């Protein structure tokens, strides 16, 4: 049986940060818009705070140990069309990201790395 490679995965550092954010903010979601600057980074929100619609694609429902519900990962359809051949790896790096993303006060920011599917 062939196991499909996940479209989105988390580094251990990203999973750890999600556990801490979940304890403070409740259920979580990601959205990556593809805009310039911070828009090209995954933004973390309380689940449902960012309204998704027909211009967005649900790429994953991430299972995180210690988080009771999946963390959804949405991407703007226009960006997905460019990145559809990649596997996304959500990581955490030092530095300030957008003030709208929940991790901003922590002195870190989420970052998406990519790897070509099949590579």
């Amino acid at each position: 049986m062939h196991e499909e490679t996940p479209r989105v995965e988390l580094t251990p550092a990203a999973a750890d940060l999600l556990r801490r954010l979940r304890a403070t903010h409740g259920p979580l979601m990601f959205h990556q818009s593809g805009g310039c600057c911070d828009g090209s980074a995954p933004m973390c929100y309380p689940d449902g705070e960012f309204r998704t619609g027909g211009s967005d694609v649900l790429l994953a429902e991430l299972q995180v140990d210690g988080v009771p519900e999946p963390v959804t990962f949405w991407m703007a359809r226009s960006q997905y069309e460019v990145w559809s051949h990649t596997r996304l790896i959500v990581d955490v790096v030092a530095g300030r990201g957008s003030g709208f993303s929940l991790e901003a006060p922590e002195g870190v920011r989420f970052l998406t790395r990519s790897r070509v599917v099949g590579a």
Side-chain angles (χ1 to χ4, degrees):
M1 176 179 214
H2 175 34
E3 186 174 315
E4 187 174 327
T5 301
R7 300 292 306 167
V8 182
E9 64 184 73
L10 301 168
T11 65
D16 185 54
L17 181 55
L18 286 171
R19 281 188 283 277
R20 294 192 329 258
L21 293 173
R22 169 59 174 86
T24 302
H25 301 283
L28 304 169
M29 68 179 289
F30 279 109
H31 187 272
Q32 187 162 331
S33 71
C36 70
C37 308
D38 285 331
S40 58
M43 308 286 277
C44 186
Y45 301 100
D47 188 38
E49 184 174 294
F50 186 93
R51 297 195 57 151
T52 58
S55 62
D56 300 297
V57 176
L58 176 61
L59 293 184
E61 293 183 348
L62 301 165
Q63 301 295 323
V64 181
D65 287 340
V67 174
E69 64 284 313
V71 177
T72 57
F73 190 100
W74 295 84
M75 181 178 276
R77 186 173 303 281
S78 59
Q79 186 175 21
Y80 175 72
E81 290 170 4
V82 175
W83 288 39
S84 62
H85 64 287
T86 64
R87 180 175 54 183
L88 305 177
I89 303 152
V90 180
D91 200 0
V92 176
V93 295
R96 287 226 2 120
S98 170
F100 296 113
S101 195
L102 291 175
E103 80 282 3
E106 305 285 322
V108 294
R109 63 186 180 95
F110 286 109
L111 172 78
T112 302
R113 302 178 193 283
S114 62
R115 190 171 290 143
V116 174
V117 173

